[in-house]
Amino acid sequence: MSSQRVLPDELKVPDGLKKQSGLLSQPRAVWAVAFACVISFMGLGLVDPILSAIADQLHATKSQVSLLFTSYNLVTGVAMLITGVVSSRLGVKWTLLTGILFIIVFAGLGGTANTVGGIVGYRAGWGLGNALFIATALSAIVGLSTSGTAKAIILYEAALGLGISVGPLLGGELGSISWRGPFFGVAALMVVGFLFITFMLPSIPKPKKRGSLADPFKALSYPALFTLGIVALLYNFGFFTLMAYSPYVMHLDEHGLGYVFFGWGIMLAFTSVFVAPKIQARFSVVSSISVMLTLFALDLGVMAVGTVAGSPATVIVAVIVAGIFLGINNTLITTAVMQAAPVERSTASAAYSFMRFLGGAISPWLAGKLSEWYTAETPFYFGALMVLIGVAVLIIRRRHMQNIQIDAH
């Protein structure tokens, strides 16, 4: 398959500018979207430190509380299929603003809930806003950036890592006051993001061709993109086992969990920006992703061993170290997705994210159930197994990845 990309007219930047500009030399609009991304991704980590508190105070099981992730990820994944239809009719700016409004409303409502079921329902609405925002934000940053696809994605992943690292710190502080605090915190922060997008992102003309519901499925007919989607679905079993289940076995309070996930997020952000480009320049896409995911699977095994040994310190260190492998992998695989099919970037992102978030929807609930059915370490072993299956899929289907050429410079 050809790796040439089709860029929407409203997001085209002259090639000369892309080659001349560095990572930090971006238009003001790119920084506005990146800042909103930081705040949006803070919402993911903000909830981590309060999972145990919600379980204790609302008398819920681990698997019930894990549904906060399941409803969020399931709706996000399914809604990815309509983001192209919505953005082609509303335009990039209004789609971003609509997504942010959904997040503000449902995050705020989540803080008023009195049952786990209520929170789960509001998280579903939050997921709809998340889908509209992140699919459009990625394509907007890549399209409006003047530094090329690879560096634009590094900027996007840096925003992700920064948001995920700062989120747990704020979540720990607010969560120590009340488990409701982080929900209200997300709503307040997204109001700031809304203002940034409103005043700093110029109006972008709507595309001449409107998207259809069939577009993401057509994109998945390209073997390279489908392969990356399957790999992401599988490795997200490990990713969300770490996010949604590890807080229960570290035996820390809200502050402690905030610091651990802050360390994890810092590792993720640092490696996605400074290490991933060096790996992109030296090794192939398949070998790089395979090695990072294998190391992540081994790290999940260490978490399992630490759980068996009754050593929360081992789990804590392993969680922080996981940020290294996930930061590198996130940049590698996201950059590859943008080159994997001759469709618009927003369509490729939506199709890939649909599959990725399906794994994120199943795994949190399943991790909680596995711990209830078997032993406390079982979710880590299962997550590691699924990640390794993802590596096997990538290696078996590596011939489909041959046309993906990533320029890390």
Side-chain angles (χ1 to χ4, degrees), residues 191-247:
V191 169
V192 178
F194 184 89
L195 294 175
F196 264 74
I197 296 293
T198 299
F199 294 108
M200 294 183 67
L201 186 68
S203 295
I204 300 172
K206 298 176 185 178
K208 296 177 181 178
K209 180 183 177 181
R210 289 189 172 186
S212 74
L213 292 175
D215 288 344
F217 296 103
K218 291 178 181 177
L220 289 173
S221 68
Y222 292 93
L225 185 60
F226 183 71
T227 299
L228 292 170
I230 291 293
V231 172
L233 185 153
L234 292 167
Y235 96 75
N236 265 278
F237 276 84
F239 182 91
F240 279 99
T241 294
L242 182 153
M243 289 289 291
Y245 179 72
S246 67

Side-chain angles (χ1 to χ4, degrees), residues 323-364:
I324 297 173
F325 312 130
L326 290 170
I328 296 170
N329 178 73
N330 284 353
T331 296
L332 293 173
I333 200 166
T334 304
T335 307
V337 164
M338 294 295 99
Q339 308 292 332
V343 297
E344 294 185 353
R345 289 186 175 97
S346 57
T347 301
S349 175
Y352 164 76
S353 295
F354 164 67
M355 299 189 69
R356 173 166 62 105
F357 279 103
L358 286 184
I362 301 169
S363 54

